Amino acid sequence: MPSQRQAEPRRATLRDVAERAGVSTSTASLVFSGKGPVAAATADRVRAAAADLGFTGPDPLASSLRQGRVGTVAVIVEGPLRHAFRDPFALAVLDGLAEELDLAGRTMLLVAQPVEHPEQAVAQLATQAVDAAVFPLCGTATNPLVEHLATRGVVMVGSGAPLSPEVGHVLTDERAGQRLAGQHLLDLGHRRLGHVSMMLRPAVATGPVTRADVEHADYPDAAGRARGFLDIAPEGSPMVQVGELTVGAGEEAGRLLLDVPVARRPTAVVCQADVLAAGVVRAAASLGLRVPDEVSVTGFDGVDLPWLGTTLTTVLQPGVAKGHALGAMVRRRLEGEGPVDEPFAVSLRVGTSTAPPPG
């Protein structure tokens, strides 16, 4: 039997509108884009023709493809997204980045890149049309996405990693920043220092690390901060890395450093992140140690932790501002700027978690 379905009516095009209004297609386009001078009477005629034909405007996807842009920026987060959403600094960076991209009329495509199988993200992005990719949270030094995206001509921006000539960075001097906190403690008179590091390599357990581990680290930000600590710490100062960036992991690391005989116990602990410092403060309290009277603690990032009960002495690295800087670099790269690095300044904020050593 012949099909009873009728063919769907053809969607009116901009050319159809132009022909009905008696103008050129380019003039009709200017009416819809608002990007050029068109006489009011002509514009009214074009809009009336569009209404008659049921034409609501040019296809935005087709327009973006003709311009070589789709308006989407891939934001690469290493590890499960839930980890980033639990980290107040990561949330601040993503918030600032989203604000900047929104102002530029671009949307974010969040891509969770598995830490143990980073190549899976290549398959995820292979079918996605994106104008740029941002690595906002400083992952590993190498990333299989770089070669894939570079081959496609996709602009790439990072905050210290991946390390590639193709990637422009909003760059914090991690080493100098960590030295600010360490020097502050030395100036207070501390000589027994301990260090809590972020992960130096993927998929590690919380435990002691050495200078050699730092030199073979996969994460540039953690390695840089550890080197800053080693620059000022007395030889043999204990260092512990965490298995994840959480308060709980910081507490576990704090116990490893502080639950030792008094003669070997650090009088101050330098932490690579505020959430880790919060964990060390909790570990000290569980061991009956008062902060800062018996042990001083410093952080890094400057996030808001109102529940902690003390204001951390920390290295201020405003997350929202860093996100804005990343978004602004994306815009400049898409306008033709090359992959250049831009410094991001940090400073020391002295809070109530540090004081001279006991005795």
Side-chain angles (χ1 to χ4, degrees), residues 163-202:
L163 303 180
S164 168
E166 303 285 345
V167 185
H169 292 284
V170 174
L171 204 56
T172 297
D173 189 337
E174 312 283 0
R175 187 170 189 165
Q178 195 69 92
R179 277 201 305 264
L180 289 174
Q183 189 60 53
H184 165 71
L185 294 169
L186 292 181
D187 292 344
L188 287 173
H190 292 274
R191 294 298 179 266
R192 297 205 308 272
L193 305 181
H195 187 53
V196 176
S197 169
M198 297 184 293
M199 296 76 71
L200 295 170
R201 302 174 70 88

Side-chain angles (χ1 to χ4, degrees), residues 1-353:
M1 294 180 62
S3 172
Q4 310 240 339
R5 291 167 48 188
Q6 296 183 354
E8 293 184 4
R10 184 178 70 87
R11 183 180 184 272
T13 67
L14 187 63
R15 178 176 294 180
D16 297 331
V17 173
E19 289 178 354
R20 173 165 290 212
V23 300
S24 67
T25 303
S26 60
T27 298
S29 177
L30 290 174
V31 172
F32 281 98
S33 69
K35 294 181 179 178
V38 178
T42 301
D44 288 344
R45 199 161 70 248
V46 169
R47 283 190 281 267
D52 290 343
L53 294 171
F55 180 77
T56 57
D59 183 346
L61 178 57
S63 175
S64 65
L65 290 175
R66 284 194 299 272
Q67 299 169 18
R69 297 280 181 250
V70 294
T72 302
V73 175
V75 178
I76 316 301
V77 177
E78 289 194 87
L81 288 177
R82 67 178 182 274
H83 289 176
F85 292 154
R86 291 172 182 168
D87 179 0
F89 178 72
L91 282 176
V93 173
L94 293 174
D95 189 29
L97 176 59
E99 288 178 358
E100 193 70 28
L101 294 178
D102 186 57
L103 288 174
R106 300 184 185 278
T107 58
M108 282 174 40
L109 172 67
L110 283 175
V111 178
Q113 185 175 32
V115 173
E116 296 183 5
H117 299 286
E119 69 283 353
Q120 290 181 8
V122 175
Q124 287 179 268
L125 276 178
T127 58
Q128 300 291 332
V130 297
D131 298 331
V134 183
F135 301 86
L137 304 177
C138 197
T140 53
T142 60
N143 193 313
L145 276 174
V146 171
E147 182 178 0
H148 168 76
L149 295 171
T151 301
R152 291 170 53 183
V154 174
V155 162
M156 288 177 280
V157 169
S159 62
L163 303 180
S164 168
E166 303 285 345
V167 185
H169 292 284
V170 174
L171 204 56
T172 297
D173 189 337
E174 312 283 0
R175 187 170 189 165
Q178 195 69 92
R179 277 201 305 264
L180 289 174
Q183 189 60 53
H184 165 71
L185 294 169
L186 292 181
D187 292 344
L188 287 173
H190 292 274
R191 294 298 179 266
R192 297 205 308 272
L193 305 181
H195 187 53
V196 176
S197 169
M198 297 184 293
M199 296 76 71
L200 295 170
R201 302 174 70 88
V204 295
T206 299
V209 290
T210 65
R211 185 184 293 266
D213 294 317
V214 173
E215 295 309 313
H216 293 91
D218 291 328
Y219 290 101
D221 56 344
R225 295 180 195 184
R227 290 189 184 105
F229 173 76
L230 290 169
D231 286 344
I232 55 87
E235 188 67 30
S237 295
M239 298 191 298
V240 175
Q241 74 173 333
V242 295
E244 58 181 4
L245 196 59
T246 63
V247 174
E251 184 170 359
E252 183 182 357
R255 283 183 167 276
L256 290 176
L257 289 172
L258 299 176
D259 194 9
V260 297
V262 175
R264 292 195 293 111
R265 189 171 66 212
T267 60
V269 180
V270 179
C271 300
Q272 289 194 8
D274 289 343
V275 292
L276 300 180
V280 173
V281 170
R282 284 187 170 182
S286 70
L287 294 170
L289 300 173
R290 290 169 296 153
V291 174
D293 299 328
E294 294 173 279
V295 60
S296 290
V297 181
T298 68
F300 201 116
D301 291 332
V303 300
D304 188 20
L305 301 173
W307 46 266
L308 186 59
T310 186
T311 302
L312 285 174
T313 294
T314 189
V315 180
L316 283 177
Q317 180 183 214
V320 172
K322 194 165 193 178
H324 279 298
L326 288 165
M329 181 175 283
V330 168
R331 175 177 48 77
R332 294 195 302 273
R333 291 290 311 277
L334 289 173
E335 291 172 353
E337 181 181 284
V340 296
D341 292 343
E342 174 184 296
F344 188 78
V346 297
S347 59
L348 182 71
R349 182 191 72 195
V350 177
T352 57
S353 66

